[in-house]
Amino acid sequence: MSHTAVAPCAAPTAPVGAAVAPPAAVALPALVGTGLPVPLVDGRTVPYANLDLAASAPALQAVADHVAELLPYYSSVHRGAGYASQVCTSVLEAARGTVARFLGAREDDVTVFTRNTTDALNLLAGAVPGATLCLDLEHHATLLAWRGDHRVLAAADTVAETLERLAEALTERPTALLAITGASNVTGEIPPIAEITALAHAAGCRVVLDAAQLAPHRRVDIAAWDVDYVVVSGHKLYAPYGAGALVGRRDWLDVAAPYLAGGGAVQAVGVSGATAEVTWAPAPHRHEAGTPNVLGAAALAAACRALDPVIDTAVPAHERALLQRLTAGLAEVAEVVPLRIWADAEDRVGVVSIVVRDVPAGLVAAALSAEHGIGVRDGRFCAHPLLARLAGGADAVRVSLGLNTTASDVDRLVAAVRSIAEQGPAGDYHEVQGRWTPRGDTRDLDPFGLGHTAGGASGCGH
């Protein structure tokens, strides 16, 4: 299957959405890789416009610097008497407090380090002493983590009606835990978290907040919102070193079966006859068996320290101006259909998903990359039920903003989308292993000489 454009892509002659004022200069933390030069299929090289930060965000420069500083000390933790081991143990345990404070944890909350949000939700699933409930708009991690009695409730077309449905569902039968998103990974919309938590608590139900998409953009406040648990991923929070966290109430976690059985999760082990007898440690160590990812935990804490001074004001101001510019520009392209969950959502983070009429989402994304040096995400974003509702099960294109996104990046994206929507891509594309690829692509996709190039369909998005 191929798709050939009817005309070459025209270069933008004026800023798109120029009627919207660009964001004021703000002192935002720097990211590694800003201005990365990337090749185009026509032989040119341009600065990369990374508009796929909702999937994985680059490292903050402060995070990369901290990890580099820590690397010479890297050693075992908790059970090492050597100086480097003691330093690493101190760094790991200090990181718990930093992450907890950044997320507004209560004094008696516990912080468990995990691999990512998915890992954290699966860990919590083993501790829930009853039924669970979530909405159908959730990421697959929140839809699929739970065991036993788990219900999925269809969200309504408005926030108000969705809250009514939640209240009814929670009063119909006992529910131990409600899992909700802090911000949709498809549309960026933010539900009324404190209101949902109050509603759940009135029904005797606890709440876990998936803050993977919210925490990089807005202040998360466990105590103020009275949520019981929060989960985050470092790779979305500008700390891509393999760590995430589960923060929340201790009681369930102290009595649950260890997430992994092994060293570090125990207080004592003996053998009686042919049976091992174990006294498990309380949380957090109860659920952190094996050698912990001290570099990942340190990176996550460094990201929290760097974001803390700007997350309440500068980050939202920067993002809202760019989001307004983006939505205004895309609204001028007749072929673009924006996806939204609720007609009455009052706030959203910088995540926008669209469908371009008559052009497959994968082709749009491929052309944006190959012809314009713009990175976006295409697919169904690990949210198949939501895409079935919003796009009839079709794939979509997701644009996500971050700390290093500029007005120029937004204008470049909108101009490129307009050209692809109105004229088609400039080149000839075909599908290879489920991905659209330019024919005769000569770009070097293996710049490190590792002998492998990217390709293949994602099990989550296609």
Side-chain angles (χ1 to χ4, degrees), residues 157-459:
D157 293 335
T158 66
V159 172
E161 187 179 349
T162 299
L163 293 179
E164 292 176 4
R165 290 186 183 183
L166 275 172
E168 292 174 2
L170 289 169
T171 56
E172 283 175 358
R173 52 197 282 199
T175 305
L177 183 71
L178 170 65
I180 61 167
T181 185
S184 169
N185 76 307
V186 176
T187 68
E189 291 165 86
I190 302 174
I193 297 166
E195 190 173 351
I196 291 174
T197 301
L199 182 153
H201 286 174
C205 176
R206 288 188 178 184
V207 173
V208 57
L209 180 72
D210 174 357
Q213 296 295 339
L214 182 64
H217 306 279
R218 299 285 192 279
R219 172 72 67 182
V220 173
D221 199 328
I222 293 173
W225 297 339
D226 202 24
V227 294
D228 301 282
Y229 302 95
V230 161
V231 292
V232 294
S233 285
H235 73 98
K236 298 184 190 297
L237 201 57
Y238 305 101
Y241 289 84
L246 164 65
V247 182
R249 301 193 186 278
R250 173 181 289 278
D251 53 349
W252 286 2
L253 297 171
D254 273 345
V255 299
Y259 185 47
L260 295 174
V266 303
Q267 290 181 328
V269 179
V271 176
S272 177
T275 303
E277 296 182 344
V278 184
T279 302
W280 297 105
H285 304 297
R286 185 185 192 90
H287 302 289
E288 294 179 350
T291 298
N293 179 6
V294 63
L295 296 179
L300 182 57
C304 292
R305 288 193 295 271
L307 289 171
D308 191 63
V310 295
I311 196 67
D312 292 308
T313 53
V315 171
H318 169 77
E319 180 180 294
R320 285 177 174 135
L322 292 174
L323 183 60
Q324 182 185 10
R325 191 179 189 92
L326 174 63
T327 54
L330 291 174
E332 296 176 1
V333 184
E335 295 81 4
V336 167
V337 180
L339 304 183
R340 294 295 299 268
I341 301 170
W342 294 305
D344 58 342
E346 295 183 355
D347 195 11
R348 64 191 298 196
V349 300
V351 176
V352 174
S353 292
I354 61 172
V355 172
V356 180
R357 294 190 183 97
D358 301 325
V359 187
L363 178 55
V364 174
L368 287 172
S369 173
E371 299 173 20
H372 302 276
I374 299 170
V376 296
R377 180 56 54 111
D378 67 283
R380 285 173 281 167
F381 320 123
C382 294
H384 291 185
L386 181 57
L387 266 294
R389 173 196 295 200
L390 301 183
D395 291 352
V397 174
R398 183 179 69 189
V399 181
S400 46
L401 314 176
L403 293 177
N404 64 339
T405 307
T406 65
S408 176
D409 293 334
V410 170
D411 293 347
R412 185 169 148 198
L413 178 280
V414 174
V417 168
R418 178 191 296 276
S419 178
I420 294 168
E422 295 177 351
Q423 305 174 56
D428 184 21
Y429 293 75
H430 63 148
E431 286 189 281
V432 179
Q433 295 182 311
R435 300 295 308 176
W436 287 91
T437 304
R439 292 188 186 276
D441 189 358
T442 59
R443 291 175 298 164
D444 182 8
L445 301 180
D446 184 24
F448 305 110
L450 302 177
H452 181 75
T453 56
S458 162

